[in-house]
Amino acid sequence: MSQRQVLQVFEQYQKSRTQFVQTVAELATRPQNIEILQNAGVMSLLRPLLLDIVPTIQQTAALALGRLANYNDDLAEAVVKGDILPQLVYSLAEQNRFYKKAAAFVLRAVAKHSPALAQSVVDCGALDALVICLEEFDPGVKEAAAWALGYIARHSAELAQHVVDAGAVPLLVLCVQEPEISLKRIAASALSDICKHSPELAQTVVDAGAIAHLAQMILNPDAKLKRQVFSALSQIAKHSVDLAEMVVEAEIFPAVLTCLRDQDEYVKKNVATLIREIAKHTPELSQLIVNAGGVAAVVDYVGETRGNVRLPGVMMLGYVAAHSENLAMAVIVSKGVVQLSVCLSEESEDHVQAACAWALGQIGRHTPEHAKAVAVANVLPRLLRCYLRPDASEDLQTKSKKALKNILQKCVHLPALEPLLHDAPPNILKHVVGQFSKVLPHDTKARKLFVTSCGLKKVQEIKAEPGSALAEYINAINNCYPEEIVKYYSPGYSDALLDRVDKYQPQ
């Protein structure tokens, strides 16, 4: 065989390998092909090609493996069992930037599925290699490495700690400062995934100077970047008062409030979540948000959004109102009660309704004035309907009941209470009648109105256990009226009068 023929054979062999990996990589982009490729044993065929002498074949083989591993955890498990990860990690340090991107993609695709698979990536020594990639000149390599590190960190505090211990955080903070938008996004996302688990991990990110750089990007025009920035800031702020104060000290208010009206739904939701996480900690932090116009902005946000996007805004109003009478009044003045009442009626998801019920209870529980503001918005019948609905979740029933109790114990606005005399079950009725028993002895006008509106008649129809709190409340109400009036409205009294008519003999 001549030299030329030998070269042709090698050329044909290289061409076939190239065509094979390119075809597999292309087929792996379509879900319907995955099972066929798996059954054909494609993993074992791709593995030796990771060591091919031709760089493009190596890269395409890694890309194909990444696409397969990305599809489901079984295929990711197959990559681990096939002993492919150590080869990828070794090559991360040795190969060119194209291969590094493909190798980091495989590591990310394996790590994303479960803590156990992410731990497999850690165990093969990938973290040190990925952190070194964060120092590469090529932004694409940095991005691929940051993405893989974020996918490892998101599963648990332990895995996030491994990422921190490998020295990733300072380099991720540097990546946030790079000019490439996509790198900024991925780095901010990875920092968010590290922060979310514990105050200690969040503090590590803060100590690396992340807050200032994240805060500088809150008005960036790129929506996807803003999503990640607000997510990271809220994951920092949620853990403690100190961390929340550090976020606030970066002078994010009032600028963040403009983002509640962002075109992007996820940006809006993440901003509302950030404000909620700050507001929940202390009255002082809530007051700062109020002073910046935050409550009015969140009330508008609740009015303009629906479903889960609405939820953090609803909860933020509840947290603010929970802190003090003055802060609850700030929510009332900003039309928060009206908006929450509308939300309670509009929403079909139980968990959103439960949040509305909880927030309304936090507003109404402070003073009679607060309770009246909630009651006149027709909230009480709506809460009662949520509580009595047969298919309501346990959480919705519990929160509705608690909110009703909180509001009723402060409410002395009797017109709002009267409808509940007719509809409320005994455990709620007790609180309603209790409020009438407090107000009627001291209010002549209310006593008369209670008779003409048939409230007194309804009270006489209530069957209360002798000696119970409800029975005592009914007695207290009855003591406000002449005996003959109470008798007149008692069940059976009209029959007794008719009997007397029958028995009466005219003179």
Side-chain angles (χ1 to χ4, degrees):
M1 189 180 280
S2 68
Q3 185 180 355
R4 187 179 170 194
Q5 286 173 316
V6 171
L7 287 172
Q8 281 178 334
V9 168
F10 275 107
E11 193 179 312
Q12 185 60 43
Y13 178 49
Q14 181 179 323
K15 209 171 179 182
S16 299
R17 297 194 321 275
T18 304
Q19 189 178 2
F20 172 73
V21 290
Q22 285 175 345
T23 305
V24 170
E26 176 61 31
L27 289 171
T29 60
R30 291 189 283 277
Q32 64 267 31
N33 298 327
I34 299 293
E35 196 176 338
I36 302 164
L37 290 169
Q38 189 178 8
N39 293 339
V42 76
M43 290 284 185
S44 56
L45 297 172
L46 287 170
R47 185 174 178 246
L49 296 176
L50 292 170
L51 300 169
D52 200 277
I53 56 167
V54 180
T56 53
I57 293 175
Q58 291 179 7
Q59 292 151 26
T60 315
L63 179 64
L65 280 167
R67 285 174 179 170
L68 291 165
N70 196 48
Y71 184 70
N72 65 29
D73 50 358
D74 287 340
L75 286 162
E77 191 73 52
V79 170
V80 174
K81 286 179 178 170
D83 216 24
I84 290 168
L85 296 183
Q87 178 56 48
L88 289 166
V89 171
Y90 171 76
S91 302
L92 268 176
E94 302 294 322
Q95 298 287 0
N96 65 28
R97 62 196 172 101
F98 301 107
Y99 186 89
K100 287 177 179 178
K101 281 191 271 190
F105 169 52
V106 181
L107 295 171
R108 175 186 111 214
V110 172
K112 85 170 193 178
H113 294 289
S114 70
L117 286 165
Q119 188 63 54
S120 299
V121 173
V122 172
D123 292 341
C124 74
L127 290 181
D128 289 339
L130 288 168
V131 168
I132 289 168
C133 286
L134 290 178
E135 297 184 86
E136 285 278 331
F137 177 74
D138 184 80
V141 175
K142 290 181 186 176
E143 188 181 316
W147 212 340
L149 289 165
Y151 271 52
I152 293 166
R154 69 173 47 175
H155 290 293
S156 70
E158 187 184 354
L159 285 162
Q161 190 63 55
H162 286 313
V163 172
V164 169
D165 293 342
V169 171
L171 294 169
L172 287 169
V173 173
L174 285 174
C175 288
V176 165
Q177 301 168 62
E178 294 284 352
E180 291 80 16
I181 291 290
S182 59
L183 178 55
K184 286 177 183 287
R185 286 182 203 149
I186 304 300
S189 174
L191 290 171
S192 178
D193 286 329
I194 293 167
C195 289
K196 71 180 182 182
H197 299 289
S198 72
E200 293 75 22
L201 286 162
Q203 189 65 55
T204 304
V205 172
V206 171
D207 291 344
I211 290 177
H213 298 297
L214 290 167
Q216 284 172 1
M217 296 186 288
I218 60 176
L219 295 178
N220 191 288
D222 185 77
K224 289 180 181 175
L225 174 59
K226 283 190 288 189
R227 288 181 197 175
Q228 303 305 337
V229 166
F230 289 123
S231 172
L233 288 172
S234 61
Q235 297 293 5
I236 293 168
K238 76 178 184 182
H239 292 293
S240 70
V241 177
D242 288 345
L243 288 167
E245 285 176 347
M246 287 181 188
V247 172
V248 170
E249 283 163 11
E251 298 182 356
I252 61 168
F253 289 102
V256 292
L257 301 178
T258 62
C259 297
L260 283 171
R261 297 190 299 275
D262 199 273
Q263 297 277 306
D264 187 275
E265 209 164 64
Y266 293 101
V267 170
K268 290 194 288 192
K269 186 182 179 184
N270 289 358
V271 175
T273 303
L274 170 60
I275 299 169
R276 178 194 74 193
E277 298 298 2
I278 294 168
K280 75 181 184 185
H281 290 293
T282 65
E284 291 75 22
L285 284 167
S286 280
Q287 189 63 58
L288 185 146
I289 293 168
V290 171
N291 295 346
V295 168
V298 171
V299 169
D300 289 343
Y301 167 84
V302 170
E304 291 161 6
T305 52
R306 295 292 178 272
N308 278 330
V309 181
R310 211 175 210 173
L311 191 58
V314 168
M315 293 182 69
M316 178 270 181
L317 296 174
Y319 279 129
V320 171
H323 286 305
S324 72
E325 291 176 19
N326 288 342
L327 287 164
M329 193 51 73
V331 176
I332 292 168
V333 169
S334 298
K335 307 282 193 299
V337 172
V338 175
Q339 204 55 263
L340 288 168
S341 179
V342 169
C343 181
L344 189 64
S345 294
E346 283 182 350
E347 289 297 333
S348 55
E349 295 284 335
D350 279 15
H351 66 283
V352 182
Q353 286 187 319
C356 292
W358 170 79
L360 288 162
Q362 297 307 314
I363 296 166
R365 70 181 175 84
H366 292 287
T367 68
E369 192 181 356
H370 290 80
K372 181 180 178 181
V374 174
V376 296
N378 201 33
V379 163
L380 297 175
R382 288 172 182 173
L383 287 172
L384 188 61
R385 278 198 295 274
C386 290
Y387 173 56
L388 296 176
R389 212 179 75 215
D391 61 339
S393 68
E394 188 180 340
D395 184 49
L396 175 56
Q397 288 183 330
T398 303
K399 287 193 166 64
S400 299
K401 180 185 172 185
K402 186 79 188 293
L404 275 167
K405 188 177 172 183
N406 284 345
I407 298 161
L408 288 172
Q409 286 177 338
K410 293 291 180 183
C411 186
V412 292
H413 183 64
L414 301 187
L417 295 180
E418 255 186 62
L420 273 65
L421 282 173
H422 302 274
D423 303 324
N427 59 338
I428 302 294
L429 192 60
K430 174 179 69 176
H431 300 293
V432 178
V433 176
Q435 292 308 104
F436 280 102
S437 74
K438 290 177 193 172
V439 177
L440 292 175
H442 313 291
D443 191 331
T444 310
K445 191 177 174 185
R447 286 200 295 273
K448 186 175 180 181
L449 196 61
F450 194 57
V451 174
T452 56
S453 66
C454 296
L456 184 62
K457 181 174 184 290
K458 179 61 189 171
V459 166
Q460 305 316 308
E461 293 168 1
I462 296 169
K463 292 178 174 62
E465 287 286 323
S468 66
L470 182 55
E472 287 179 23
Y473 295 148
I474 292 171
N475 287 336
I477 291 170
N478 290 344
N479 290 337
C480 297
Y481 296 94
E483 191 178 342
E484 60 270 26
I485 293 287
V486 175
K487 271 187 184 176
Y488 180 78
Y489 286 106
S490 296
Y493 183 69
S494 56
D495 294 336
L497 284 178
L498 286 172
D499 285 346
R500 287 177 63 184
V501 168
D502 289 342
K503 291 172 185 174
Y504 183 71
Q505 294 296 327
Q507 297 295 330

